[in-house]
């Protein structure tokens, strides 16, 4: 079974930027579609972005034009570059793959 570990979450001011990372171990990576989801307290989980093994990306409507997902198969890592951050981006961010594995999340807080 694949283990996924997220990192990079932080407190950031509105308009700022962050890059999240998710590193996989214990299984295959190169052949899997990867995704980022987020969930704020009291709200339903929301799709943020996905990336296929070929590098094709899709984004949730709320983050289009602001977030960019990428992958580095040699390092078994996917990234989420977040720019123009808004308070409503505050959430726990979770990494997942097409096998149904999940990381434990990393917290992003956008506040003045």
């Amino acid at each position: 079974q694949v283990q996924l570990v997220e990192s990079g979450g932080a407190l950031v001011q509105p308009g700022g930027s962050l890059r999240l990372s998710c590193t996989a171990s214990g299984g295959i990576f190169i052949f899997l579609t990867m995704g980022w989801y987020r969930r704020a307290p009291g709200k339903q989980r929301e799709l943020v972005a996905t990336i296929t093994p070929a590098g094709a990306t899709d984004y949730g409507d709320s983050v289009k034009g602001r977030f960019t997902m990428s992958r580095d198969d040699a390092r078994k890592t996917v990234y989420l570059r977040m720019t123009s951050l808004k308070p409503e981006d505050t959430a726990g961010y979770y990494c997942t793959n097409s096998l149904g594995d999940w990381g434990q999340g990393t917290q992003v807080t956008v506040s003045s």
Side-chain angles (χ1 to χ4, degrees), residues 11-83:
L11 173 65
V12 63
Q13 291 185 298
S17 299
L18 283 174
R19 189 180 74 165
L20 307 184
S21 300
C22 171
T23 299
S25 63
I28 61 173
F29 179 83
I30 192 170
F31 301 117
L32 299 179
T33 292
M34 304 291 295
W36 286 98
Y37 286 77
R38 68 185 183 185
R39 188 169 69 88
K43 300 185 68 176
Q44 194 169 1
R45 185 179 63 190
E46 177 186 20
L47 174 66
V48 176
T50 61
I51 188 166
T52 71
T57 54
D58 282 307
Y59 300 93
D61 289 341
S62 63
V63 307
K64 286 180 180 176
R66 300 188 298 120
F67 291 9
T68 302
M69 190 175 181
S70 60
R71 66 190 296 152
D72 183 342
D73 289 343
R75 295 185 174 183
K76 296 185 177 181
T77 300
V78 295
Y79 304 95
L80 184 68
R81 176 66 175 174
M82 305 182 293
T83 63

Side-chain angles (χ1 to χ4, degrees), residues 69-111:
M69 190 175 181
S70 60
R71 66 190 296 152
D72 183 342
D73 289 343
R75 295 185 174 183
K76 296 185 177 181
T77 300
V78 295
Y79 304 95
L80 184 68
R81 176 66 175 174
M82 305 182 293
T83 63
S84 301
L85 283 162
K86 306 173 181 179
E88 51 262 45
D89 295 319
T90 296
Y93 283 72
Y94 297 85
C95 178
T96 190
N97 61 31
S98 57
L99 297 179
D101 298 304
W102 290 86
Q104 294 193 98
T106 186
Q107 178 67 33
V108 173
T109 302
V110 184
S111 176

